[in-house]
């Protein structure tokens, strides 16, 4: 395994998985992110869940990292995902994420500029 780039923290608040991405990611950093979320989903034992992704400090990713993200979103689409909230202020970064991960289009998603509003929205759906 190579050296991971990008830092991720993952926690669970009720049935909402909260992810915070910091820095620029390579495929190994992206795998740490996706493997961490997959482990929590497995621990939820088939219960419905939502995801809040805080990308305020995300600085981008390699093409390999975006491929890992696409594979992860394909997997997510087969789980009991209620919705996904993205906290992000860069429309350009969001456009890149959407273009390189087209499987996100079948998810109920919404973008926010702060975590509080994102969490409130997800809680109204749960």
């Amino acid at each position: 395994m190579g050296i991971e780039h990008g830092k991720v923290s993952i926690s669970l608040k009720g049935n909402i998985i909260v992810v915070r991405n910091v820095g620029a990611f390579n495929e190994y950093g992206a795998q740490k992110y996706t493997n961490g979320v997959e482990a929590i989903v497995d621990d939820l034992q088939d219960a419905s869940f939502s995801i809040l992704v805080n990308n305020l400090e995300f600085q981008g990713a390699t093409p390999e990292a975006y491929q890992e993200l696409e594979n992860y979103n394909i997997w997510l689409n087969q789980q009991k995902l209620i919705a996904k909230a993205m906290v992000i202020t860069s429309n350009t970064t969001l456009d890149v994420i959407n273009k390189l991960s087209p499987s996100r289009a079948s998810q109920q998603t919404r973008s926010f500029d702060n975590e509080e509003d994102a969490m409130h929205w997800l809680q109204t759906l749960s």
Side-chain angles (χ1 to χ4, degrees), residues 48-60:
S48 298
F49 63 95
S50 293
I51 300 177
L52 187 157
V53 181
N54 184 325
N55 273 346
L56 291 176
E57 297 180 73
F58 174 72
Q59 296 174 340

Side-chain angles (χ1 to χ4, degrees), residues 10-18 20 40 44 50 52 115 119 123 126:
I10 304 169
S11 60
L12 184 63
K13 294 183 179 180
N15 71 330
I16 299 173
I17 300 169
V18 180
R20 287 186 181 86
I40 290 176
L44 290 172
S50 293
L52 187 157
E115 198 169 300
M119 181 65 77
Q123 289 170 336
S126 298

